């Protein structure tokens, strides 16, 4: 039972590290996949060590801390032109996010003002009340 669960965990951990493509400690992986995998911390550590021994992921040791990350040789190389294109796209999207955020703030301010004012029915009632 445990080895079958460990095999499933190994596959999920490998997929997670390849998808995120950034370094993680065993604790980080345990925390991030705890709900999905249902593996304990010891099982996650074992699975990551197994993946590192098999060469499917890489491991770096910094003092007592071990950091694991996807094997970069499996990913295609990116040219300088592609990097510049990606950087330009990131800058473009960043500007778009900033513009949309500003619009949201303006709309939020307008909504607060409108929520604070009287409705048409309330205004009519108040006018009638003041007239008599």
């Amino acid at each position: 039972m445990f080895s079958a669960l460990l095999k499933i965990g190994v596959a999920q951990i490998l997929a997670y590290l390849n998808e995120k493509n950034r370094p993680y400690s065993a604790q980080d992986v345990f925390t991030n996949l705890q709900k999905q995998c249902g593996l304990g911390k010891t099982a996650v550590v074992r699975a990551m060590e197994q993946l590192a021994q098999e060469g499917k992921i890489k491991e770096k040791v910094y003092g007592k801390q071990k950091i694991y990350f996807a094997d970069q040789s499996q990913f295609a190389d990116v040219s300088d032109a592609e990097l510049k294109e990606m950087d330009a796209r990131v800058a473009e999207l960043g500007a778009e996010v900033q513009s949309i955020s500003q619009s949201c703030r303006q709309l939020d301010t307008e909504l607060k003002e409108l929520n604070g004012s009287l409705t048409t029915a309330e205004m009519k009632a108040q006018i009638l009340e003041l007239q008599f």
Side-chain angles (χ1 to χ4, degrees):
M1 170 70 182
F2 181 72
S3 64
L5 188 60
L6 185 61
K7 285 181 184 179
I8 293 170
V10 166
Q12 287 179 325
I13 290 169
L14 179 60
Y16 178 75
L17 288 175
N18 285 334
E19 176 191 340
K20 298 301 181 187
N21 194 21
R22 65 175 294 267
Y24 286 102
S25 68
Q27 177 64 43
D28 293 336
V29 172
F30 167 70
T31 303
N32 295 341
L33 294 180
Q34 187 175 16
K35 291 177 185 168
Q36 290 176 326
C37 294
L39 292 175
K41 185 175 178 185
T42 305
V44 169
V45 171
R46 284 184 192 159
M48 294 184 77
E49 287 176 353
Q50 178 184 336
L51 286 167
Q53 288 173 354
E54 293 172 358
K56 294 180 180 177
I57 63 173
K58 299 293 181 184
E59 171 187 81
K60 291 236 180 196
V61 179
Y62 296 100
K64 294 181 181 181
Q65 181 85 20
K66 288 184 181 181
I67 302 296
Y68 300 91
F69 52 93
D71 183 6
Q72 298 300 300
S73 65
Q74 67 180 322
F75 300 113
D77 290 336
V78 181
S79 70
D80 286 342
E82 289 174 311
L83 283 176
K84 287 180 183 178
E85 189 178 304
M86 286 180 200
D87 286 342
R89 181 72 177 137
V90 166
E92 179 184 308
L93 290 172
E96 187 177 337
V97 165
Q98 193 172 19
S99 172
I100 291 171
S101 294
Q102 184 177 358
S103 294
C104 284
R105 284 191 297 272
Q106 289 172 345
L107 289 171
D108 194 38
T109 301
E110 186 178 335
L111 178 63
K112 286 178 184 175
E113 287 175 10
L114 290 172
N115 282 337
S117 62
L118 298 174
T119 65
T120 305
E122 291 171 334
M123 284 184 189
K124 286 180 181 178
Q126 197 169 28
I127 289 171
L128 285 174
E129 186 179 310
L130 291 172
Q131 285 178 346
F132 298 109

